[in-house]
């Protein structure tokens, strides 16, 4: 789910804001030759609250939101990359969304959580710090990195 006009890549996560999360993990499903060693891509658009939870809808017709914790994202097996794209502030005020499915999902998510936005604000996480904190056990020691 890429929206170059709606989202911009960010190096910090702010509670009370909306993000698209893009993760790539290595796949080792050896019982399915067409998937063997292919990268699996995970994309979702969600609202980030002050308890480090992303609230998102799995389908456009969903009636209730799912939750994914920040820790769960960093705990994905064989995670190759994890990027966050923040919804631009001007898009929160713009009610003239196009009618494609991805943009409708953005509107649905914003409509569902915009009222919580002000009360959840105040916590800022550096994405690089989060990566160092949660992914440090998977990094090669400096002397072995060559």
């Amino acid at each position: 789910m890429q929206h170059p006009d709606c989202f911009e890549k960010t190096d910090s996560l702010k509670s009370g804001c909306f993000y698209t999360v893009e993760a790539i993990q290595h796949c080792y499903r050896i019982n399915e030759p067409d998937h063997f060693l292919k990268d699996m891509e995970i994309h979702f658009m969600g609202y980030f609250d002050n308890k480090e939870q992303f609230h998102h809808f799995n389908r456009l017709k969903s009636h209730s939101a799912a939750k994914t914790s920040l820790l769960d994202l960093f705990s994905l097996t064989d995670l190759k990359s994890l990027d966050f794209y923040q919804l631009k502030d001007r898009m929160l005020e713009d009610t003239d969304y196009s009618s494609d499915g991805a943009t409708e999902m953005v509107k649905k998510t914003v409509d569902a959580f915009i009222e919580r936005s002000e009360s959840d604000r105040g916590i800022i996480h550096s994405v690089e710090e989060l990566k160092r904190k949660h992914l440090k056990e998977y990094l090669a020691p400096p002397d072995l990195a060559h």
Side-chain angles (χ1 to χ4, degrees):
M1 174 189 291
Q2 292 186 350
H3 300 280
D5 296 336
C6 303
F7 292 90
E8 60 189 351
K9 189 169 182 175
T10 184
D11 57 356
S12 63
L13 292 176
K14 301 171 189 162
S15 61
C17 294
F18 297 88
Y19 294 92
T20 291
V21 178
E22 294 183 358
I24 298 176
Q25 69 181 130
H26 203 65
C27 179
Y28 292 102
R29 293 170 26 180
I30 60 174
N31 58 341
E32 298 177 31
D34 59 329
H35 289 116
F36 184 61
L37 297 180
K38 288 187 179 179
D39 293 337
M40 292 178 55
E41 296 182 13
I42 300 166
H43 302 275
F44 68 87
M45 189 271 169
Y47 170 76
F48 188 61
D49 71 8
N50 60 5
K51 294 182 175 48
E52 298 184 0
Q53 300 280 326
F54 281 97
H55 300 268
H56 55 94
F57 294 97
N58 293 330
R59 290 177 293 293
L60 193 55
K61 299 292 184 185
S62 297
H63 294 290
S64 59
K67 284 193 296 189
T68 302
S69 74
L70 194 56
L71 183 59
D72 288 344
L73 287 173
F74 282 103
S75 300
L76 289 171
T77 307
D78 295 315
L79 187 63
K80 292 178 78 175
S81 71
L82 182 61
D83 294 309
F84 301 92
Y85 298 84
Q86 185 173 357
L87 183 65
K88 294 178 182 177
D89 286 339
R90 66 177 173 78
M91 297 308 296
L92 291 174
E93 298 147 7
D94 187 5
T95 57
D96 184 29
Y97 291 96
S98 65
S99 61
D100 68 16
T103 309
E104 286 181 30
M105 185 63 83
V106 171
K107 182 175 179 359
K108 178 177 182 161
T109 306
V110 168
D111 288 347
F113 297 104
I114 193 67
E115 291 178 11
R116 292 181 51 178
S117 182
E118 283 301 316
S119 63
D120 277 338
R121 289 198 191 264
I123 300 173
I124 300 173
H125 299 280
S126 164
V127 173
E128 284 303 313
E129 283 296 317
L130 289 169
K131 286 180 179 179
R132 276 194 287 270
K133 176 182 172 184
H134 294 292
L135 299 177
K136 65 182 175 187
E137 64 193 66
Y138 302 108
L139 298 177
D143 57 335
L144 299 177
H146 300 296

